[in-house]
Amino acid sequence: MTTTARPARTAAESEPAAWVTCSQCRSLVYGKRYIRLLQVCPECGAHARLDAPSRIRQLFDGGTAQPVSVPETLNNPLDFVDQRPYGERLDQARRKTGQRDSVLVVRGRIDGRPLVAAVMDFRFFGGSLGVAAGEAITTAAETALKDRTPLLIVTASGGARMQEGALSLMQMAKTSNALAELDEAGLLTVTLVTDPTYGGVAASFATLSDVVVAEPGARMGFAGPRVIEQTIRQKLPPGFQTAEFLLEHGLVDDVWQRTELRARLSRLLAATEMPGAAWGTGEEDPVVRDSQLLDQLPAWECVQLAREAGRPTALEHIGYWLDGFVELHGDRAGEECTAIVGGIGRLDGLPVMVIGHQKGHNTAELVGRNFGMPSPAGYRKAARLMRLAAKLGIPVVTLIDTPGAYPGLTAEESGQSNAIAENLRLMGSLPVPVVAVVTGEGGSGGALALGVADRVLLCANATYSVISPEGCAAILWKNAAEAAVAADELALDAASLLRLGVVDGVIPEPEGGGHLDTTRMSDAVRRAVVVALRELRGTNEPTSRRARFRAFGLADGAHLQTSTGASATAGTTERDR
């Protein structure tokens, strides 16, 4: 017997068909193998639709998923009748699925880690959002709040349920505010977008989670393609509203294969687990805090070493010293910037949010990352991740390496100045420890937008400056060839910055520069960050961070009291520490 894996097909609840035909590529797949592959075509990767019970079995540890009771809701509140009474349609859907409505709520575990899940089922009225579905989503959120556990929402919906009128519409606000309570409680929320997710579901709880991921090919949007085409009288581009389109436009954090879901969700859940007070106590501090102990290179030589293409990138540092890293993408406002990367991982067991400028080692990589020059979307993505860190109570670590913020036309049109300014204000207010490390170029406001921290460290051959030496020479000397002279005058090297108190310490590099031994350099950065976070753990007020920056520029010895009562003393250089 051969069947076709149509998009609307659900998981086999009994013996699978002997052979299954993929609806996308028409390949013939052995039925039992198809089930083992979680209904993903081995030839083209097409993901068939799963019903809610199958999805729960796939995601949760065996035997751990337990149903959560959902309060009764109004049945057919409008006595709606179209070609058939709505009540009859409801009875038919319940008999067909064995479910009360389109959402199942369960408690369970993934790799032993507890969570609550609300799983939508497209078989039941196309997963439409009515009063029962809205109550189920809200109940799931309230259960997670009561249990103090993360919430997972798996979406599959055509939109609001028309047969329930304005009461259906109200579920959008009801469910959105249920998620707001989890935000206020600092509990992680995750949405898994499956095909399709439209209308009132997409415009409410589905897109409000901290992390929004999608299965390959899953479609999500407010209005469906046919409605849009009829409205604007234009042909939509291929792949419009698919998961891949959403990722490219910064609207989802990532696209995850079905076979990867359990492992990746487990990594995210690990971000809620904090180590004990002894964390980091065995690590030695490599940081130099006295400029006289540094070998001061000529400033222009530091500039060349800071720009060396072989230096470790942010993603390489992350790969070296973080476990279980989950990269998060997008500003959630329509753009993704590849020049800034970030996500959650565990640093020797401590959950941290790491955000950094990303360059590359060759021309293709540099072009793909816009040479490490972020657009406004990059800074807004960074701000989103910092707010998530603040919500979850985990430290922020930033890795700075940029010639500066992107100065192009599109950046100005999108509000580059505003994006940088918002980050400066946000970082000064974060209620979690913040450590910044300048690993290469610290170029002007584009660097500082990730640099308002409790501890600011600098790699020995890195630089930090208000402008590039070439730019300074061109403006003040009227000759870019005077860049080496300008570099000396700008005091952008490690020893000068340490004397000025702009940085709190310098991380030694291997002889000749970090590009000659990237593993050793990255390990030194890791150790420095661990020691800094060890000292800052338990800090939850930004007053000292603000006081640090408040003192810059005051005459030596000047003392003032900030509006928060924190003390700020000018001239807080290495001699005063």
Side-chain angles (χ1 to χ4, degrees):
M1 176 183 178
T2 301
T3 63
T4 299
R6 300 180 300 277
R9 182 179 173 82
T10 62
E13 297 185 69
S14 55
E15 279 297 310
W19 295 92
V20 175
T21 303
C22 174
S23 64
Q24 300 295 317
C25 68
R26 310 305 298 173
S27 295
L28 204 60
V29 185
Y30 182 51
K32 290 185 177 179
R33 182 189 183 201
Y34 191 59
I35 296 301
R36 287 197 303 272
L37 293 173
L38 307 178
Q39 295 204 62
V40 177
C41 175
E43 299 299 325
C44 72
H47 285 52
R49 190 170 295 147
L50 293 181
D51 58 39
S54 299
R55 179 73 66 178
I56 290 167
R57 287 195 297 271
Q58 175 226 332
L59 290 176
F60 285 88
D61 298 348
T64 66
Q66 299 298 320
V68 173
S69 177
V70 176
E72 286 291 325
T73 56
L74 295 172
N75 189 60
N76 192 9
L78 306 183
D79 290 326
F80 193 94
V81 179
D82 47 41
Q83 296 178 4
R84 286 175 57 196
Y86 173 51
E88 288 184 10
R89 294 184 186 275
L90 277 175
D91 290 340
Q92 182 182 19
R94 287 165 181 161
R95 286 194 301 270
K96 179 181 177 182
T97 63
Q99 298 168 195
R100 181 68 184 169
D101 210 90
S102 61
V103 180
L104 297 184
V105 181
V106 296
R107 288 184 176 96
R109 293 179 178 270
I110 295 179
D111 284 344
R113 297 184 169 100
L115 77 160
V116 174
V119 183
M120 305 192 78
D121 196 323
F122 196 79
R123 296 176 304 164
F124 198 106
F125 270 83
S128 55
L129 179 62
V131 295
E135 183 60 35
I137 297 292
T138 304
T139 296
E142 291 172 347
T143 304
L145 184 62
K146 178 183 176 183
D147 294 353
R148 303 293 305 176
T149 58
L151 173 67
L152 168 67
I153 300 173
V154 182
T155 62
S157 176
R161 191 170 299 177
M162 294 176 288
Q163 295 91 336
E164 296 183 6
L167 286 177
S168 172
L169 181 66
M170 294 303 110
Q171 304 308 307
M172 295 172 63
K174 175 178 176 175
T175 54
S176 297
N177 281 279
L179 263 69
E181 292 190 20
L182 297 183
D183 290 337
E184 293 157 7
L187 295 173
L188 176 68
T189 55
V190 182
T191 293
L192 169 61
V193 177
T194 73
D195 189 60
T197 297
Y198 279 109
V201 169
S204 59
F205 59 87
T207 48
L208 291 179
S209 292
D210 301 317
V211 178
V212 180
V213 297
E215 286 192 327
R219 296 164 295 165
M220 181 172 73
F222 181 61
R226 281 184 295 180
V227 172
I228 296 172
E229 286 184 337
Q230 290 168 5
T231 302
I232 66 174
R233 306 295 182 188
Q234 292 178 12
K235 187 72 176 173
L236 297 174
F240 180 71
Q241 293 183 324
T242 62
E244 295 73 20
F245 173 93
L246 299 170
L247 179 61
E248 182 182 347
H249 288 80
L251 298 171
V252 297
D253 284 288
D254 212 343
V255 178
W256 291 353
Q257 296 287 332
R258 188 172 290 169
T259 52
E260 301 174 338
L261 288 174
R262 271 180 52 84
R264 289 182 179 245
L265 286 170
S266 179
R267 290 182 189 179
L268 272 180
L269 296 176
T272 64
E273 301 171 349
M274 291 293 177
W279 179 85
T281 52
E283 202 64 75
E284 258 186 60
D285 189 1
V287 174
V288 176
R289 292 180 171 80
D290 183 347
S291 65
Q292 295 181 0
L293 300 178
L294 295 172
D295 295 327
Q296 185 165 2
L297 297 173
W300 184 242
E301 188 174 336
C302 287
V303 170
Q304 302 308 308
L305 286 170
R307 294 172 177 174
E308 172 60 52
R311 293 177 75 84
T313 66
L315 285 176
E316 287 167 342
H317 283 297
I318 288 168
Y320 181 81
W321 39 270
L322 283 193
D323 294 318
F325 179 67
V326 178
E327 186 174 356
L328 305 175
H329 300 85
D331 66 353
R332 294 276 181 92
E335 293 187 59
E336 160 66 347
C337 173
T338 57
I340 283 186
V341 297
I344 300 175
R346 286 175 289 114
L347 175 59
D348 294 351
L350 177 70
V352 292
M353 181 71 75
V354 180
I355 303 165
H357 299 96
Q358 179 68 15
K359 288 184 177 178
H361 298 304
N362 54 49
T363 301
E365 290 178 355
L366 287 166
V367 169
R369 300 288 181 175
N370 200 31
F371 296 87
M373 295 186 293
S375 68
Y379 293 114
R380 289 173 182 140
K381 172 171 68 174
R384 180 173 76 85
L385 300 188
M386 290 178 202
R387 291 189 183 99
L388 175 55
K391 171 186 169 177
L392 299 178
I394 63 177
V396 172
V397 176
T398 63
L399 302 174
I400 298 168
D401 184 13
T402 179
Y406 180 57
L409 174 64
T410 56
E412 293 300 317
E413 291 174 339
S414 299
Q416 185 71 286
S417 297
N418 175 263
I420 292 171
E422 289 286 353
N423 271 26
L424 300 179
R425 177 169 62 180
L426 172 64
M427 293 192 76
S429 306
L430 291 174
V432 293
V434 183
V435 175
V437 183
V438 183
T439 61
E441 291 183 276
S444 193
L448 184 61
L450 296 186
V452 182
D454 300 294
R455 298 284 188 277
V456 180
L457 305 175
L458 184 89
C459 290
N461 295 319
T463 60
Y464 207 176
S465 178
V466 68
I467 191 173
S468 70
E470 295 90 341
C472 181
I475 294 170
L476 298 181
W477 278 263
K478 313 299 183 186
N479 183 0
E482 298 293 330
V485 176
D488 279 328
E489 295 298 325
L490 286 167
L492 47 67
D493 60 286
S496 299
L497 293 164
L498 187 56
R499 279 195 296 271
L500 289 168
V502 172
V503 300
D504 300 300
V506 175
I507 304 171
E509 295 190 26
E511 186 175 354
H515 61 289
L516 299 178
D517 191 342
T518 58
T519 299
R520 189 172 155 201
M521 177 179 173
S522 193
D523 185 61
V525 174
R526 181 195 66 79
R527 288 185 287 124
V529 169
V530 168
V531 171
L533 289 177
R534 181 182 71 201
E535 295 171 353
L536 292 167
R537 277 194 80 192
T539 302
N540 57 7
E541 292 295 335
T543 51
S544 60
R545 191 182 315 139
R546 286 176 173 170
R548 180 186 189 278
F549 286 86
R550 174 67 180 86
F552 285 129
L554 289 173
D556 283 356
H559 185 81
L560 55 88
Q561 202 77 8
T562 69
S563 60
T564 61
S567 174
T569 301
T572 308
T573 64
E574 62 184 21
R575 293 185 300 276
D576 305 300
R577 286 192 286 271

